[in-house]
Amino acid sequence: TDTGEYQTPKKEDKEREQTRNFRIAALQGSLMQVSFAFIDTTNILNTFVHKLTESDAFVGLVGALTPAGWMWPQLLISNLLEHRPRKMPFYTLGMSIRVAAWLAILLCTLFIPFSHKGLLVVSFFCFYFIASSSMGVSTIPYMDIISKTIEPHRRARFFSTRQFSGGLFSFFIGFLISFVLSDKSGLTFPNNYALLFGFAVVTIAASFVVFLAIREPIHRVRTTRQSLWQHLKQGPYLLRIDRNYRRFLFYRVCTNMAGMCMPFYALYAQLRLEVPDSSLGWFISVSALSGVI
């Protein structure tokens, strides 16, 4: 990499660049949160799968694939990224796969007849696993870029701004989802869910394009790539020497175990309390509003 790229910018230029990147990243995060509302695993995808399969096991699988797909690529991606000064190409790769996978889910939902729902189920889970895994590809470069473009004293404000604006938008998105899933929309299953998937594709693509506008700073990095075995050995080593890291890992295990029940709440409301499908939008609005508060 050209060493001229490491030159320190003037204070005014640096502040202006920080502000610009802050706004772009906050908008990208808000759009991404809106996309999550359209394909929420605790309200939308779980009920979609249950209507297709009437299987609680498949509903649980939807909830499990999200963290599993998000986690497994990260060890490999971190090994590929550490020695590279630019991380944006890997973010671009991950997000491109994610948009393509959700577009494939949309097309399968629209064009595979309900009489062949077995094929639709297999197609959905295959492409959903790809979409979830692509998040693992894009998350590490995303976090690296955020850490370089937004200084530590502004990060708390950045994440709170992102959560607040995204939650506020998602609150109103809940009303749209409620209408799409109601009888008033005139849409029947699975076309009503296909429309939600279409909205998700648009908002994911929009967040992707917005983030590409960030000018990634170039910092010094290790010039040589570690072997994968050396890279993997650092995981147990960090667990031994870093108490905070051990506690954080235990926290993540506990929260993931507690979250296993989440996809079944909406189904319980539908099957036992006989609430209509349109209530799923209300659940999303309430969830988003509580997050904002």
Side-chain angles (χ1 to χ4, degrees):
T1 307
D2 184 1
T3 54
E5 291 189 81
Y6 296 121
Q7 294 177 357
T8 304
K10 294 180 180 179
K11 183 177 180 180
E12 296 81 4
D13 293 339
K14 186 177 180 181
E15 183 68 25
R16 190 180 304 112
E17 189 72 3
Q18 283 273 325
T19 302
R20 176 183 179 276
N21 288 334
F22 183 100
R23 292 171 178 171
I24 292 173
L27 176 59
Q28 182 271 342
S30 300
L31 288 169
M32 187 57 71
Q33 274 196 271
V34 169
S35 73
F36 288 150
F38 287 120
I39 50 176
D40 184 47
T41 56
T42 61
N43 290 290
I44 304 301
L45 295 185
N46 55 336
T47 54
F48 172 74
V49 168
H50 192 268
K51 285 179 180 293
L52 281 178
T53 65
E54 297 183 356
S55 167
D56 291 342
F58 280 119
V59 172
L61 183 59
V62 171
L65 281 181
T66 303
W70 186 68
M71 288 293 181
W72 79 263
Q74 294 193 26
L75 279 175
L76 302 176
I77 291 298
S78 57
N79 181 241
L80 291 172
L81 279 178
E82 280 184 332
H83 65 290
R84 300 176 188 271
R86 294 190 186 277
K87 311 299 194 293
M88 188 65 84
F90 285 83
Y91 174 82
T92 302
L93 172 65
M95 288 301 295
S96 298
I97 295 173
R98 181 166 168 77
V99 172
W102 275 107
L103 181 59
I105 291 174
L106 167 63
L107 295 176
C108 289
T109 307
L110 284 175
F111 296 112
I112 295 179
F114 193 67
S115 56
H116 295 77
K117 64 179 181 179
L119 177 60
L120 179 55
V121 170
V122 172
S123 301
F124 170 80
F125 276 105
C126 288
F127 286 118
Y128 183 61
F129 180 71
I130 293 172
S132 298
S133 300
S134 68
M135 289 182 64
V137 175
S138 61
T139 294
I140 287 183
Y142 170 81
M143 288 298 183
D144 190 279
I145 294 168
I146 290 297
S147 70
K148 292 190 295 187
T149 55
I150 298 177
E151 292 181 340
H153 68 277
R154 306 180 75 171
R155 284 180 202 154
R157 195 188 337 154
F158 162 70
F159 283 108
S160 60
T161 300
R162 189 179 98 152
Q163 292 292 109
F164 180 84
S165 57
L168 206 58
F169 284 129
S170 297
F171 172 76
F172 292 106
I173 290 298
F175 293 95
L176 174 61
I177 293 172
S178 180
F179 173 76
V180 170
L181 296 180
S182 69
D183 295 334
K184 295 178 181 178
S185 68
L187 297 171
T188 58
F189 182 85
N191 291 333
N192 48 1
Y193 283 85
L195 181 58
L196 298 181
F197 298 159
F199 287 141
V201 171
V202 171
T203 49
I204 293 170
S207 71
F208 173 30
V209 172
V210 166
F211 196 74
L212 291 178
I214 284 185
R215 290 190 283 263
E216 180 184 2
I218 303 301
H219 293 173
R220 293 187 184 278
V221 295
R222 180 189 294 139
T223 55
T224 57
R225 178 186 172 186
Q226 293 186 89
S227 69
L228 183 60
W229 175 242
Q230 288 177 320
H231 181 72
L232 294 177
K233 285 197 301 184
Q234 290 181 350
Y237 174 71
L238 286 173
L239 285 174
R240 285 200 308 270
I241 66 170
D242 193 333
R243 183 176 60 181
N244 288 330
Y245 188 49
R246 289 197 303 271
R247 289 176 172 175
F248 179 70
L249 183 62
F250 180 68
Y251 157 77
R252 290 299 298 266
V253 170
C254 291
T255 54
N256 280 328
M257 289 180 67
M260 288 192 298
C261 61
M262 293 298 291
F264 295 96
Y265 284 127
L267 289 177
Y268 178 84
Q270 287 185 310
L271 300 177
R272 300 294 185 184
L273 306 181
E274 298 181 351
V275 299
D277 288 355
S278 59
S279 64
L280 299 177
W282 293 100
F283 293 161
I284 289 173
S285 294
V286 171
S287 177
L289 183 61
S290 65
V292 168
I293 294 173

